[in-house]
Amino acid sequence: MLAIDVAAYRSPWRRRHPAAKAVLAGGLLLSALLLPPWPGAPITAVITLVVALGWARVPPRAFLRSARAPLAFIVTGSVTFLISVDTSGLAWAPGGAVRAGEVIGRCVAAVFCQLLFAMTTPLADVLPRIARRPGLSGLAEVAGLVYRMLSVVLETVNAIRRAQADRLGTRSWRTRWRSVIGLAAQVFVLSFDRARRLEAGLSDRGYTGSLAVSVDSLPLTGRFLALAPLPGLVSAGLTLALTSACTVA
């Protein structure tokens, strides 16, 4: 099981309705995307961290480990804003550093908002409710199947890597490259085989285009729902107040 799933199932907000948590995380996400990047993005990121680590009590280590890969992708992707390409070759882009900082700020805040929702809400609580909405059942089922296949593929990769390490497949750079190539080929074949067996299993069970799934009844409490928009409103209020103060000064 992924670390995000473990945190979601162990979250104190596990029994909260997904709609209320979507309002909370969605309000912060809108703040990250719509407010001025400075100081809106840092304020939204800090408030999201406070909500996640304080109110939702998400484990800090799990939160930071889950954010590590997206943040690395954001930083490396933003490097392209620093460089311009023309007929004379490569050069520093005018205003590129400012633009890169704005993109990094918005993206970091947005990632934190999404992790807040993902690490407090199991996917099993979200997809069945989405499937009940008209026209969204197919999308929910495809998302669920892809998520399941992703978990299976990751488990397969870990098992193959452990087997390669036990057979001294990482003792040198040459053997490591051979192990990586073998790993990619084996995962590719096994993924297609598992997908074929999954399709056959659904067909044998009389799949007709929809899956009947039982959904736990979760309370949509008025107090939590009333407090859910508050972090986003606080972020917007602080940003507008600081922006006005800087403008006046």
Side-chain angles (χ1 to χ4, degrees), residues 11-71:
S11 173
W13 288 4
R14 170 67 175 83
R15 305 303 302 175
R16 300 289 186 183
H17 198 283
K21 290 180 282 188
V23 170
L24 192 154
L28 288 169
L29 183 59
L30 288 177
S31 299
L33 297 178
L34 300 180
L35 292 175
W38 180 261
I43 290 176
T44 303
V46 170
I47 291 177
T48 304
L49 281 176
V50 172
V51 172
L53 305 182
W55 190 8
R57 286 181 286 174
V58 176
R61 184 176 180 182
F63 190 91
L64 294 178
R65 288 186 61 184
S66 299
R68 184 172 51 190
L71 294 183

Side-chain angles (χ1 to χ4, degrees), residues 160 164 178-192:
I160 294 176
Q164 289 176 339
R178 291 180 59 185
S179 297
V180 169
I181 295 172
L183 173 64
Q186 189 70 8
V187 169
F188 183 80
V189 173
L190 290 177
S191 298
F192 270 91

Side-chain angles (χ1 to χ4, degrees), residues 64-116:
L64 294 178
R65 288 186 61 184
S66 299
R68 184 172 51 190
L71 294 183
F73 179 79
I74 291 169
V75 172
T76 54
S78 299
V79 173
T80 57
F81 289 103
L82 304 177
I83 302 173
S84 64
V85 181
D86 52 25
T87 55
S88 60
L90 298 177
W92 290 107
V98 175
R99 182 58 178 165
E102 293 177 352
V103 171
I104 291 175
R106 287 192 187 277
C107 291
V108 169
V111 167
F112 286 173
C113 297
Q114 295 175 66
L115 285 178
L116 169 62

Side-chain angles (χ1 to χ4, degrees), residues 78-234:
S78 299
V79 173
T80 57
F81 289 103
L82 304 177
I83 302 173
S84 64
V85 181
D86 52 25
T87 55
S88 60
L90 298 177
W92 290 107
V98 175
R99 182 58 178 165
E102 293 177 352
V103 171
I104 291 175
R106 287 192 187 277
C107 291
V108 169
V111 167
F112 286 173
C113 297
Q114 295 175 66
L115 285 178
L116 169 62
F117 182 78
M119 302 190 77
T120 56
T121 311
L123 197 64
D125 291 345
V126 179
L127 291 182
R129 289 176 170 81
I130 295 178
R132 293 178 175 179
R133 301 296 180 265
L136 297 180
S137 59
L139 176 64
E141 290 178 11
V142 170
L145 292 175
V146 170
Y147 185 77
R148 173 57 184 162
M149 287 300 300
L150 177 62
S151 300
V152 172
V153 168
L154 291 177
E155 292 175 3
T156 304
V157 169
N158 291 331
I160 294 176
R161 290 180 63 182
R162 287 194 299 267
Q164 289 176 339
D166 293 340
R167 291 171 174 79
L168 303 180
T170 59
R171 60 181 178 177
S172 65
W173 284 106
R174 182 177 180 181
T175 56
R176 287 180 181 177
W177 277 111
R178 291 180 59 185
S179 297
V180 169
I181 295 172
L183 173 64
Q186 189 70 8
V187 169
F188 183 80
V189 173
L190 290 177
S191 298
F192 270 91
D193 179 64
R194 291 182 184 274
R196 180 187 58 79
R197 287 190 289 168
L198 179 60
E199 180 182 7
L202 290 173
S203 177
D204 293 340
R205 288 168 175 81
Y207 178 71
T208 58
S210 61
L211 295 173
V213 180
S214 61
V215 183
D216 292 338
S217 178
L218 298 176
L220 188 59
T221 56
R223 181 180 178 183
F224 186 84
L225 184 61
L227 294 175
L230 187 59
L233 294 176
V234 171

